């Protein structure tokens, strides 16, 4: 059975993505007999081309994805070039995982509460530094060019790119490379960029592509921070899918295919930029410049990373403050009173979405952990590297969600299974599984196999050695992977919204739905619950091993 595990994973991930994408094609060309589309035609595409503002929607989706990914990557590389194991560096690295677990929607709400004209930052600066007695008439959020959307995406994606970069650095002997370059006369930051950066980028290329695909097609963040008239392409597609007029499904399917083309174009443009920048970079390295800009790189790298780290932390603080704020007039820096009435008012409505969120997240994460453990155990017993087909598990991260989830929705409706809880769990599993695999693969491969050999020498079978030795000793990384899976599942908006059909509601779908309203207190409550929920998993991942192994000091160190 174990030998089938890698192929089951590939099957579960590839079939929905490829099948869902293919099923989007017929309605995109007018063919869906269930809705009266009996002939193939270009009518949905003509209707899509005639949609007001469609070109701006495409441009914002394309441009915001490229700019957000590029800026996040630049800031991460600038910071990595300055790392020197100082207290500041350790503080930043400790904050990466908690910030990564904050769902996108909660981070976007926190960013909005910070930078809005009546947000926390202007309240702290007004009126002494700005002179504002009223919120200025500035379009800081939902601007037509997507600047607030780009800023929110940059802040949210930096922790992810920093984490994967930190994981890749030990493979490069970065310190030795920098030391060698410095022996040739290069200053520290220039030495890092010339000796480490060219080797590091190929290791994180796939995560960078995943960030780019997400940034061009995000729905929940775009609904909160993106432009409204017109919205980004992905938001418009979701609105067409949710339209009570079912004939709009043809237009929505055409839009979903167009979103696929936009993301593919962005990935192609990024690939072209890679080649162009690589050529210029090689010329810079060959030029042998040793003395320029080292101090500027240090200052910019540390400053931008400090800002990018403080913004989400302050955003969470803004959410918490708004959720308990009483009367709070502008430009008062703090609320006039603090109250729990907003929480008490929301609690009756919170219970069902919260438990539904936990059920879906726990089920998807448990399935993902079980399948990944089976695949890795099979790899260990064969004593061979994982099959190359496992690289396909990145597929759901590279294809826009709206591009294939629409096809899965059609398939589940044809099978009479929509909306069903197991369909939503399955959809969450598509996005949870890759992250669980990435989290578990290195600890599993680094496990000292001599413990298993020792167990076998004492008479244990292969399966007994797994259950009685390897799994208990790997309890902490397994629980951490499951906690990360819960965090990823909690942040999923589009799979729940499309496959749940509005009947399966989670904290995330409810919080995003509130974005169209203006009640900051209520938004603060729901966004805080959404942000706190993933931490429950991480707290349990820390506490459970300590409780289980409190009588075994040696196990606590694992």
């Amino acid at each position: 059975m174990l030998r089938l595990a890698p192929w089951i994973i590939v099957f579960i991930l590839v079939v929905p993505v490829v099948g869902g994408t293919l099923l989007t094609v017929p309605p995109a060309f007018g063919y869906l007999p269930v809705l009266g589309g009996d002939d193939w035609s270009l009518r949905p595409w003509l209707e899509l081309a005639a949609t007001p503002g469609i070109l701006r929607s495409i441009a914002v989706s394309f441009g915001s994805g490229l700019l957000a990914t590029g800026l996040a990557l630049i800031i991460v590389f600038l910071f990595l070039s300055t790392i020197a194991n100082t207290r500041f560096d350790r503080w930043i690295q400790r904050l990466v995982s908690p910030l990564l677990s904050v769902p996108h929607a909660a981070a976007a709400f926190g960013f909005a509460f910070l930078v809005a004209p009546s947000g926390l930052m202007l309240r702290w600066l007004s009126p002494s530094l700005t002179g504002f007695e009223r919120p200025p008439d500035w379009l800081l959020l939902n601007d037509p060019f997507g600047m607030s959307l780009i800023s929110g995406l940059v802040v949210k994606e930096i922790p992810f790119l920093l984490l994967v970069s930190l994981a890749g650095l030990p493979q490069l002997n970065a310190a030795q490379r920098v030391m060698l370059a410095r022996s040739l006369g290069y200053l520290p930051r220039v030495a890092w960029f010339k000796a480490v950066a060219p080797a590091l980028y190929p290791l994180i290329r796939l995560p960078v592509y995943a960030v780019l695909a997400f940034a061009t097609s995000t729905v929940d963040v775009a609904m909160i921070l993106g432009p409204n008239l017109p919205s980004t392409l992905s938001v418009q597609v979701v609105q067409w899918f949710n339209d009570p007029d079912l004939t709009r499904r043809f237009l929505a399917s055409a839009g979903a295919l167009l979103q696929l083309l936009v993301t593919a174009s962005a990935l192609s443009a990024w690939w072209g930029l890679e080649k162009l920048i690589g050529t210029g970079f090689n010329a810079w390295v060959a030029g042998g410049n040793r003395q320029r800009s080292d101090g500027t790189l240090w200052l910019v790298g540390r400053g931008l990373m400090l800002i990018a780290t403080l913004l989400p932390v302050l955003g969470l603080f803004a959410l918490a403050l708004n959720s308990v704020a009483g009367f709070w007039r502008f430009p008062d820096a703090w609320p006039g009173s603090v109250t729990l009435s907003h929480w008490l008012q929301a609690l009756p409505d919170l219970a069902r979405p919260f438990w539904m969120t936990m059920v879906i997240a726990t089920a998807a994460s448990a399935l993902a952990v079980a399948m990944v453990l089976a695949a890795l155990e099979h790899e260990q017993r064969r004593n061979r590297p994982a099959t190359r087909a496992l690289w396909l598990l990145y597929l759901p991260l590279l294809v826009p969600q709206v591009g294939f989830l629409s096809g899965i929705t059609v398939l589940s409706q044809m099978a009479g299974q929509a909306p069903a809880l197991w369909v939503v769990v399955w959809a969450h599993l598509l996005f949870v599984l890759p992250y669980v695999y990435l989290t578990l693969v290195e600890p599993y491969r680094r496990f000292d196999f001599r413990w298993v050999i020792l167990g076998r020498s004492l008479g244990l079978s292969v399966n007994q050695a797994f259950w009685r030795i390897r799994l208990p000793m790997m309890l902490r990384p397994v629980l951490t992977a499951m906690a990360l899976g819960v965090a990823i599942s909690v942040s999923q908006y589009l799979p729940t919204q499309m496959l749940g059909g509005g009947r399966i509601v989670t904290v995330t779908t409810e919080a995003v739905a509130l974005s169209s309203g203006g009640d900051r207190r209520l938004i603060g409550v729901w966004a805080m619950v959404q942000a706190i929920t993933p931490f429950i998993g991480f707290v349990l991942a820390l506490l459970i091993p300590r409780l289980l192994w409190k009588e075994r000091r040696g196990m606590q160190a694992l």
Side-chain angles (χ1 to χ4, degrees), residues 74-227:
I74 289 171
I75 293 172
V76 168
F77 269 35
L78 283 173
F79 172 69
L80 288 175
S81 71
T82 69
I83 278 188
N85 199 29
T86 62
R87 184 177 298 179
F88 175 79
D89 299 332
R90 293 192 293 273
W91 178 70
I92 292 289
Q93 292 177 44
R94 276 197 292 267
L95 275 177
V96 169
S97 294
L99 292 180
L100 183 62
S101 68
V102 178
H104 284 84
F109 278 126
F111 184 77
F113 283 9
L114 265 186
V115 303
S118 58
L120 204 56
M121 294 178 72
L122 268 182
R123 286 177 181 273
W124 286 348
L125 298 175
S126 302
S128 57
L129 295 179
T130 65
F132 295 140
E133 294 290 343
R134 295 179 179 178
D137 188 18
W138 293 348
L139 193 59
L140 296 178
L141 296 176
N142 310 116
D143 60 286
F145 299 103
M147 291 296 111
S148 56
L149 173 62
I150 293 171
S151 305
L153 287 170
V154 168
V155 169
K156 186 66 186 81
E157 298 304 340
I158 281 177
F160 175 65
L161 291 178
L162 182 58
L163 192 66
V164 296
S165 299
L166 290 172
L169 281 176
Q171 304 176 38
L172 303 176
N173 295 322
Q176 288 84 346
R177 286 172 180 256
V178 171
M179 191 180 300
L180 180 62
R182 293 202 64 185
S183 70
L184 298 174
Y186 291 100
L187 293 174
R189 263 58 67 181
V190 178
W192 191 91
F193 271 99
K194 292 198 173 187
V196 180
L200 177 61
Y201 182 75
L203 297 180
I204 64 168
R205 179 180 281 121
L206 207 54
V208 171
Y209 286 179
V211 168
L212 179 57
F214 174 82
T216 56
S217 60
T218 179
V219 174
D220 48 356
V221 180
M223 289 176 71
I224 298 166
L225 297 176

Side-chain angles (χ1 to χ4, degrees), residues 459-481:
L460 296 180
S461 66
V462 177
N463 290 334
Q464 287 174 327
F466 171 79
W467 290 106
R468 299 176 64 177
I469 295 179
R470 185 188 286 269
L471 197 55
M473 294 182 73
M474 291 203 60
L475 183 61
R476 194 183 299 275
V478 168
L479 290 176
T480 302

Side-chain angles (χ1 to χ4, degrees), residues 19-38:
T21 305
L22 292 176
L23 282 173
T24 307
V25 175
F29 288 91
Y31 184 77
L32 191 59
V34 174
L35 296 181
D38 298 319

Side-chain angles (χ1 to χ4, degrees), residues 312-323:
V313 174
L314 290 175
L316 292 176
F317 177 69
L319 288 178
L321 200 58
N322 275 276
S323 71

Side-chain angles (χ1 to χ4, degrees), residues 469-531:
I469 295 179
R470 185 188 286 269
L471 197 55
M473 294 182 73
M474 291 203 60
L475 183 61
R476 194 183 299 275
V478 168
L479 290 176
T480 302
M482 189 157 179
L484 181 63
V486 169
I488 298 299
S489 175
V490 169
S491 68
Q492 297 302 314
Y493 167 74
L494 199 56
T496 314
Q497 182 67 19
M498 294 189 73
L499 296 176
R503 299 180 192 176
I504 296 176
V505 294
T506 62
V507 173
T508 300
T509 58
E510 291 298 289
V512 175
L514 289 171
S515 63
S516 58
D519 192 339
R520 290 194 179 191
R521 276 71 169 177
L522 198 55
I523 292 175
V525 171
W526 281 85
M528 275 306 295
V529 172
Q530 192 200 15

